[in-house]
Amino acid sequence: MFRKKSAVMLVTLMTATAAFVSGCGSSATNAGSATQSNSPAKETASSKQPVEFNFYFTGSQNVKELWDTLIPMFEKQNTDVKVKPVYIPSGTGAQPTYDRITAAKQANKGSGDIDLYEDGLSYVTRGQKDGLWDTLPGDKIKNLANVDEKTLKDISNLAIPYRSSAVVLAYNSDKVKTPPTNLDELYDWIKKNPAKFAYNDPSTGGSGNSFVATTLYKFLPEEAIHNSDPSVEKGWDQGFALLKELGKSVYGKGIYPKKNQGTLDLLTSGEVDMIPAWSDMVLEQLAKGQLPKTTKMAQIKPGFNGGPTYLMVPKLSEKKDAVYKFLNFVLSSEAQAVVVDKMHGFPGIKLSNMSKEIQDSFKGASEGFRSFNIGELDKDMTKRWQSEVAAQ
């Protein structure tokens, strides 16, 4: 299932790439969930009928294609479970799904018929604060042992990191012979090459969000990237002043495309020569011939943000045992080989659990990205960006 070419590209194209890290989390209890998880009556109303659970996820088309492959594989091996996928296209927003889980809990209506949910670290930590997620049991999900222990500890075992990616600089190597290696060099390049750099509106995609956050936190202590206290916002002034200054040098003297794909389209057309982008999106589009062969990637130091995408189980789901079985499959070497092949990124489990071919293809990969965990401050960041940078 694994295309060696894709993984080799990941190593050879990037100057520095990712390690498996995650943002800090705090402990959370699972009070009140024992009744649901230990009561199989609702799951097995008929021993002849498979237990069906609802899986909500969002993302680009490649995410949908991944689950369109993995779910049938799982169901073929586990005829007693049926997964009902609910795909929310990228850009339409995952917030309504989260709100539905929260509202159902508050109304004492279980999990709102959502049994498995996919999203990023911010929703793991928000759900931890709101008491939404199940603490995942190692005795029922044996393959949790394949995940890096530090990653699970950081999120208090409230989610499964099933794949990983990083934000990098993607650039036209015909035009950019020596890419920037740090933020100061990047800002200098932007100013010296007006209209040849673009980043997307941070509220519409993670790559633009990463560029903004990385700029703001350049002027703060390193530990601030794991701090969600509102007092941190006082240190954003210098970063926002820089972003406002850069506005006259970016594409269109202050035009910020929508979504991650918006900036990739500008790079493809040759309108710009450099952008921040997700490594998996770049690799996928290179493999499909959608990006010019001259496109290369580099990571700066300290790195842009990156990290895993997570699967969370609502604490009040009545289908937990079926979900656990599916999660155990997702963390298997077989399923993770499909993740690497389809998503052009890092597996969610330790490389030592993967085939030798995949392990060899990642040789030379080193630490590159950082994991930002600023919680609700992200909303304030994008709101302030809209008023002080985009609206200038």
Side-chain angles (χ1 to χ4, degrees):
M1 298 296 294
F2 173 71
R3 292 187 299 224
K4 186 174 181 180
K5 180 180 177 182
S6 297
V8 171
M9 288 171 66
L10 181 58
V11 177
T12 58
L13 288 175
M14 292 182 65
T15 300
T17 183
F20 308 103
V21 296
S22 176
C24 296
S26 57
S27 62
T29 63
N30 193 28
S33 65
T35 301
Q36 286 84 359
S37 61
N38 294 328
S39 177
K42 294 184 180 180
E43 291 191 22
T44 57
S46 171
S47 60
K48 295 181 181 180
Q49 295 296 323
V51 178
E52 181 177 272
F53 71 83
N54 296 315
F55 172 29
Y56 280 65
F57 65 94
T58 188
S60 301
Q61 184 65 25
N62 60 347
V63 179
K64 183 179 185 299
E65 291 173 358
L66 172 68
W67 293 117
D68 284 347
T69 300
L70 286 178
I71 289 174
M73 287 174 60
F74 168 76
E75 292 179 342
K76 185 176 181 180
Q77 298 175 21
N78 300 270
T79 57
D80 58 333
V81 178
K82 183 173 179 57
V83 183
K84 182 180 179 182
V86 180
Y87 171 56
I88 303 170
S90 178
T92 57
Q95 182 67 35
T97 305
Y98 184 90
D99 290 345
R100 177 173 165 178
I101 298 171
T102 304
K105 178 189 175 186
Q106 294 172 344
N108 294 316
K109 293 184 178 180
S111 62
D113 289 327
I114 299 172
D115 304 295
L116 184 62
Y117 177 52
E118 174 187 341
D119 217 310
L121 179 62
S122 62
Y123 281 93
V124 178
T125 54
R126 286 182 63 189
Q128 181 180 30
K129 179 181 176 181
D130 294 337
L132 296 186
W133 310 134
D134 179 31
T135 301
L136 302 176
D139 59 333
K140 293 189 176 182
I141 309 174
K142 300 291 186 181
N143 285 332
L144 273 176
N146 296 342
V147 180
D148 184 85
E149 295 85 354
K150 292 181 180 179
T151 300
L152 289 175
K153 184 178 180 181
D154 282 342
I155 52 176
S156 305
N157 280 60
L158 293 174
I160 284 179
Y162 83 96
R163 62 181 172 91
S164 189
S165 184
V167 173
V168 296
L169 287 178
Y171 63 96
N172 181 344
S173 61
D174 275 352
K175 300 292 183 66
V176 183
K177 301 301 181 182
T178 305
T181 61
N182 58 51
L183 281 171
D184 288 331
E185 290 181 8
L186 174 58
Y187 301 142
D188 187 56
W189 189 94
I190 294 171
K191 293 175 183 177
K192 290 180 177 178
N193 297 272
K196 290 300 180 179
F197 179 86
Y199 68 94
N200 62 275
D201 181 327
S203 68
T204 66
S207 59
N209 186 285
S210 175
F211 179 79
V212 171
T214 302
T215 299
L216 297 186
Y217 284 80
K218 176 183 187 296
F219 304 101
L220 289 165
E222 177 67 21
E223 59 269 20
I225 66 175
H226 300 295
N227 190 344
S228 59
D229 191 288
S231 62
V232 174
E233 296 185 28
K234 297 177 182 177
W236 288 354
D237 293 352
Q238 197 169 353
F240 272 115
L242 176 55
L243 289 168
K244 187 174 181 178
E245 178 188 354
L246 291 173
K248 60 188 178 184
S249 298
V250 301
Y251 173 72
K253 295 184 178 181
I255 295 176
Y256 305 95
K258 302 297 183 184
K259 304 172 64 173
N260 301 309
Q261 189 59 47
T263 47
L264 283 166
D265 289 342
L266 291 177
L267 186 64
T268 300
S269 67
E271 294 183 71
V272 299
D273 296 331
M274 188 184 301
I275 62 171
W278 286 104
S279 59
D280 57 340
M281 293 186 72
V282 174
L283 287 167
E284 179 192 21
Q285 293 183 34
L286 275 169
K288 293 180 176 180
Q290 296 170 343
L291 276 170
K293 293 180 179 179
T294 55
T295 304
K296 292 188 178 181
M297 295 188 292
Q299 182 59 276
I300 58 172
K301 293 182 180 179
F304 288 116
N305 72 295
T309 297
Y310 298 89
L311 295 171
M312 293 85 80
V313 182
K315 187 182 293 186
L316 299 180
S317 167
E318 297 177 347
K319 309 288 182 66
K320 286 184 184 179
D321 286 340
V323 176
Y324 295 156
K325 184 175 287 190
F326 180 64
L327 293 179
N328 196 60
F329 166 77
V330 170
L331 293 178
S332 68
S333 299
E334 175 189 14
Q336 286 291 302
V338 177
V339 170
V340 173
D341 181 46
K342 292 286 186 182
M343 301 302 295
H344 302 271
F346 296 91
I349 63 177
K350 291 176 283 189
L351 278 174
S352 58
N353 296 107
M354 304 299 291
S355 69
K356 186 177 185 302
E357 180 186 14
I358 292 179
Q359 290 185 50
D360 289 346
S361 71
F362 281 102
K363 282 184 177 178
S366 59
E367 293 188 7
F369 67 66
R370 295 179 293 168
S371 184
F372 284 63
N373 185 11
I374 62 174
E376 294 290 298
L377 299 189
D378 184 77
K379 289 183 178 180
D380 293 342
M381 181 185 76
T382 54
K383 182 178 180 180
R384 185 171 170 184
W385 180 89
Q386 292 285 354
S387 62
E388 295 187 19
V389 180
Q392 67 173 315

